[in-house]
Amino acid sequence: MKKATYIILIALLLLLFVADVALGSVYISFTELWDVFLGAPDATNAYIITQLRLPRAVMAVLTGAGLAIAGMLMQTLFRNPLAGPFVLGISSGAGLGVAISIMGGSLLGFSFVSGFGLIASSIAGSLAVFLLIILISLRIKDTMGLLIIGLMVGSLSSAVVGILQYFSPSEQLRRYVFWGLGSLGNLTWSEITLIGILVIISLAGLLLIIKPLNALLLGETYARSLGINITQTRWIIISITCILAGSITAFAGPIAFIGLAVPHIARLLMSSMDHKKLIPLVIIIGAALLLACDLVAQLPFSNYSLPINAVTSLVGAPLVIWLIVKKRTLRF
Amino acid sequence: MKRLVFLSFLCLSLIFGSCKTDNPAAPASAIVVTDTLEVKYATGFDIQKTENGYRLTINNPWPSSTDTLQLDLNRDATIGDVQIPVQKFIATSTTHIPPLVLLDEADKLIGFPDTDYISSSVMRERINAGHVEDLGANETVNLERTISLEPDLVMGYGIDADNPTYQSMMDAGIPVLYNGDWTEAHPLGRAEWIKVFGILFDKEKEAFEIFKQIETDYLAAKASVEELDKPTVIAGATWKDIWYLPYGNSWQGTLINDAGGDYIYKDTNGSGSLSYNIEKVLKDAQQADYWIAPSQYTSYNQMLADNSSYKLFEAFQNKVLYTFALRKGATGGVVYYEEASMRPDLVLKDLISIFHGQASTGKLYFFDPLEE
């Protein structure tokens, strides 16, 4: 992987960021955009740029990078190309929490859920699954067991969600469906700061486990023979993944596909499997891809926009297919 | 042995299968149409008078359907599909309740899915006294319970052509009438469905008089504001960064216009609801004078907690938001959802009071100012 490729990718990331801020439903020219930061701006334009588009673009960067890293960690831990950030059941737990707060309202005696209520219940759901997974990981020796447990948690939660949906009026059903479609918008700067801190802490935690991650690729027995503490490594990987996936899902809903696809794209682009090189690439591509998806989802210059979850798959799936066909093999 | 099992199945199916055919209806051709009743605003139904009853045609049983459904109502039980006046009636939407109350036929309702949604005090008394059977949660009607009640007629409504529950009821010999009031775009068109209820209970004259009164009141209220200034109006609220609003040609859009309001998106046409990016609404509607029906919100603080962009709107700063979500029945049903379809005159008068500065007199029927 040459340095030039990195520079091109970083330039692309910056370009996409600027484009995501500059383009939207309302046309704001570059001179007006300039005014917003360095001149005397129109109040509405300034609000649209600084309170609507800029937070959304920053959220796209954090979400793209965070989910891509979480996906990479899960693929490495399970040595499974199909693993993604939600494979442990984090999004199922969050979805169950949100479903109970939106649709269980009539049973529990409240009828309206605020945005903050949704975030709190999503965090509660993710946290419950996280604690369950940690407790189970203490008991079982086989890492693959966790994969099955994640699937079971997903199954359990979708059953409960199904029952709740069956008894819910259409208005509440709609809110839950909308939550599931994901959204990077409507976040305040303080919420963005909180997610930013969590993502940065998680990424810093990665520095502790770069060597063990590389060893894990060769198998747990081999890693153990290299003197790697498998239990401790597993703990750190699970914690980082849960913090990333849980906090992002709480604020943006279950954003699909990015976490699964980006690590593959990164591995296809570079020749080495070394996590020291893979991690920065995954972060850059994750952020750039989600920015690009958000740009498409905003349908610039039209009055409408698309749900982000639909766009990530629409853009991401053909990209992965194309890369695999071009390289003729999935590097894993 | 196998043959025995087969034979007993055959016998059973003959016994049960024969249930369906014990009430043969007279062929439609035998019924002579004598007159057509006036339908002025509604497009969803037509009524023809026959010798001893009515022929009801439902033009749009569900949106974009190509079928029309016909029901022959007759005072003679041996003729037609339904004997009138209907004695045992099952309704499936709260909008079916006000016509029963207006026609003084509340005692004919014997079943309803999830009776908690009903707010009408007359009907609630009957529910509390155990006269109305609860048929299941939300829109799902329990088939077995419905059939066991032996209703004369079930009034349903269809979202699309796929209605297996109603089909099963018809297979069981229970007549089903698809009510399409909610697809009517004209406010008076929805109210005009009371005429359908009128002929069901053989109260044609009363139903026509009630509708005439609603129409007269509506048109008089509309005329009273035609000369006044038109304040600009915005509606709806956001989910994340998408703003959901009624189309200009919708039921709500027409009411805002008739109330002398200048709806920001009055020139939009479509069915369902508009979903604009918040950026567009921010550009178009910040200066709007009034803001009605902000989704499910009932207080300014709730709104701000969900989306801080709301504070940029002048209507929000001036605290001139009005919601219908605060008026609820004893068991939590929203009164507006139940009664507004049938009483466009009351909705219109509320909106006129709001848009033309008389809201403070406290005479609103459906709406309230948002709480702090």
Side-chain angles (χ1 to χ4, degrees), chain A residues 80-94:
Chain A
N80 185 331
L82 287 175
F86 302 131
V87 78
L88 293 173
I90 292 297
S91 69
S92 313

Side-chain angles (χ1 to χ4, degrees), chain A residues 126-185:
Chain A
S126 313
L127 211 58
V129 171
F130 174 52
L131 292 176
L132 181 75
I133 295 278
I134 285 287
L135 283 177
I136 291 168
S137 76
L138 288 177
R139 287 245 346 136
I140 62 169
K141 286 213 165 81
D142 186 6
T143 308
M144 292 303 157
L146 286 177
L147 204 57
I148 306 296
I149 287 163
L151 276 173
M152 294 302 116
V153 169
S155 226
L156 272 175
S157 92
S158 67
V160 178
V161 169
I163 293 171
L164 285 170
Q165 284 179 321
Y166 186 76
F167 287 106
S168 293
S170 50
E171 177 68 23
Q172 291 174 6
L173 270 179
R174 214 169 78 134
R175 282 173 73 87
Y176 183 70
V177 169
F178 282 2
W179 178 83
L181 289 172
S183 169
L184 299 171

Side-chain angles (χ1 to χ4, degrees), chain A residues 5-23:
Chain A
T5 323
Y6 273 109
I7 294 170
I8 292 172
L9 281 172
I10 289 173
L12 184 70
L13 176 65
L14 289 175
L15 185 72
L16 283 166
F17 188 85
V18 173
D20 200 33
V21 174
L23 303 174

